[in-house]
Amino acid sequence: MARPKKSLNIGVYNALLRLADNLRKYANYLDEQLAATETSQARKVPRTDVDEWQVYQAMNITPTKRAKYQSLHQALQNADSYEAIFINDFAPADRRRRFEYMTGLVFPIKCIRYSYTALHNHLHFVWKLEVADNESVRQQKNDQTKDKLKSQFPVYHSRAMKRDFLSCFGKVTGVKSAFLRKAYRRLTGDSAAARNLSEKEVDSRIQEVLDHEDPDILWDLRVNNTGRPEDYPLFLQKCQDYIKGR
């Protein structure tokens, strides 16, 4: 059997040396990264929940601001003193516009804004204050309102996430909000009831579409107008003929 050439042995030997050297360097790199990670973790302070309070004085509001915050102001004025209003429900779903909305808040009556932040969870509330209360009584009632809210934070967080989901995916996909609501409920197990009778009716029909797994189902919307005279009998008859011919 022929012996390997000396030059080949030297080539293999040098390749093994380079491999060993690279493995050593990589091992040193891993040791350095591990040490850096351990140092970084040791320095980290566990994140705690953050509470923020801000008192708003009653002020005259410009017509532009009044129109922008009309629904929020109306809800606040209709509520009892120290009854929390969830600002997230009134703020725009778009993040940039929501930031502008939150930073520009103004109110026609004296009130306090309470914000709770934990990780990516930002919940904002406002309630009006009783002018006759002194500072001590006011602080006590503010704390009582906050304590009531704490047990409901998961519910409010779910509402905020659902709103963001509907807004974000609605813009990107163009899917109707009724289907997105159903998708959100199936993905998250959300069991929140419909906000009104109309939404409940739509959700019920969407459920039928999904149960039949048929996206081409056509619904006769005249069922919603029971008792009312038909305005377009010829048009409706043509629609009926078309449906029967499918």
Side-chain angles (χ1 to χ4, degrees), residues 10-220:
I10 294 176
V12 172
Y13 177 75
N14 290 335
L16 290 174
L17 285 180
R18 289 195 298 271
L19 176 61
D21 186 55
N22 289 334
L23 289 174
R24 179 184 58 80
K25 291 179 179 178
Y26 185 63
N28 291 339
Y29 168 78
L30 292 178
D31 289 339
E32 292 173 357
Q33 291 298 307
L34 178 60
T37 300
E38 291 176 347
T39 301
S40 176
Q41 291 178 345
R43 291 177 179 174
K44 285 183 179 178
V45 178
R47 182 184 178 90
T48 57
D49 297 349
V50 177
D51 291 340
E52 295 182 1
W53 301 83
Q54 183 175 353
V55 176
Y56 291 82
Q57 301 295 335
M59 62 180 300
N60 294 324
I61 302 175
T62 64
T64 301
K65 290 275 190 179
R66 188 180 301 114
K68 184 176 183 178
Y69 297 103
Q70 181 179 7
S71 57
L72 176 60
H73 290 169
Q74 189 65 46
L76 182 63
Q77 290 174 328
N78 291 339
D80 295 331
S81 297
Y82 302 100
E83 179 184 348
I85 303 298
F86 190 37
I87 302 178
N88 296 56
D89 283 345
F90 300 88
D94 177 77
R95 290 188 177 184
R96 181 183 61 81
R97 294 178 57 218
R98 182 168 62 224
F99 175 78
E100 294 174 351
Y101 184 94
M102 299 303 300
T103 55
L105 281 172
V106 290
F107 296 97
I109 55 179
K110 188 173 183 178
C111 57
I112 190 166
R113 169 184 161 190
Y114 167 66
S115 299
Y116 168 80
T117 301
L119 297 178
H120 300 295
N121 189 357
H122 305 282
L123 306 178
H124 305 279
F125 304 88
V126 64
W127 55 84
K128 62 184 178 184
L129 302 173
E130 191 64 53
V131 179
D133 290 343
N134 59 41
E135 191 62 31
S136 177
V137 173
R138 185 175 298 156
Q139 183 61 50
Q140 181 181 5
K141 291 183 178 179
N142 285 336
D143 289 339
Q144 290 174 351
T145 302
K146 173 192 168 183
D147 290 340
K148 291 179 182 178
L149 289 172
K150 287 179 68 175
S151 62
Q152 296 297 313
F153 280 164
V155 176
Y156 286 112
H157 177 54
S158 178
R159 278 166 59 176
M161 283 199 310
K162 181 178 180 180
R163 196 158 179 262
D164 286 345
F165 176 86
L166 296 179
S167 173
C168 178
F169 287 91
K171 288 180 179 178
V172 174
T173 64
V175 176
K176 298 296 184 182
S177 60
F179 283 97
L180 289 174
R181 286 198 305 271
K182 194 63 183 177
Y184 181 85
R185 288 170 182 163
R186 289 201 172 191
L187 290 171
T188 64
D190 178 59
S191 58
R195 293 174 298 179
N196 50 56
L197 189 60
S198 297
E199 184 175 291
K200 181 179 180 181
E201 176 69 16
V202 172
D203 289 348
S204 175
R205 293 179 180 275
I206 294 300
Q207 182 63 54
E208 291 186 54
V209 172
L210 295 175
D211 288 343
H212 286 84
E213 297 183 354
D214 185 357
D216 295 324
I217 288 180
L218 296 176
W219 299 102
D220 187 354

